Amino acid sequence: MTDEQINGAASQVQGKAQKAFGKLVGDQKLEVEGAYNDAKGKSLEQFGKAMDAVDRLVEKAPENYRPKAREVAAAAREKPLLTTLSVAGVGLLLAGIVSRGLRRR
């Protein structure tokens, strides 16, 4: 389990508690902050799972590629938002290519 996953789970718990307390006392600002923290926690947890998968792939890479792969993984950890947006962009690009290929058949 990565630090991101642990921090994400903690943020989700905090967010859910804030939302519930805000709802109980009628504090809409607290409810919104709770929803934000809950969503942030879910995002961090997913990012942590993705980084776990990257770490597993790095260890399966050929020995001579591992140092560079570890550098790339470390850089991805330092900029989670940029990494997430980059991966999402590549995913959308690949989905578009695949869907065009299926339509041509």
Side-chain angles (χ1 to χ4, degrees):
M1 185 174 251
T2 64
D3 289 345
E4 292 90 356
Q5 288 174 292
I6 293 166
N7 292 337
S11 187
Q12 282 182 64
V13 168
Q14 176 190 5
K16 288 178 183 180
Q18 282 177 310
K19 277 194 311 190
F21 188 70
K23 194 173 221 173
L24 181 68
V25 298
D27 186 341
Q28 191 174 16
K29 182 181 177 196
L30 192 57
E31 280 185 72
V32 170
E33 286 176 7
Y36 168 79
N37 284 327
D38 187 22
K40 177 178 129 186
K42 287 176 185 173
S43 296
L44 273 172
E45 190 172 13
Q46 290 305 313
F47 181 74
K49 287 178 183 178
M51 290 312 300
D52 272 350
V54 167
D55 289 341
R56 286 191 300 274
L57 286 173
V58 165
E59 295 310 312
K60 290 180 181 178
E63 187 66 38
N64 55 330
Y65 291 110
R66 285 185 195 159
K68 187 63 178 172
R70 286 185 183 115
E71 279 181 46
V72 171
R77 274 200 168 83
E78 290 175 18
K79 298 184 179 180
L81 181 58
L82 180 61
T83 301
T84 303
L85 291 174
S86 299
V87 170
V90 169
L92 288 172
L93 180 65
L94 290 174
I97 291 169
V98 169
S99 68
R100 278 189 221 118
L102 293 175
R103 277 189 251 146
R104 290 183 183 162
R105 290 182 184 185

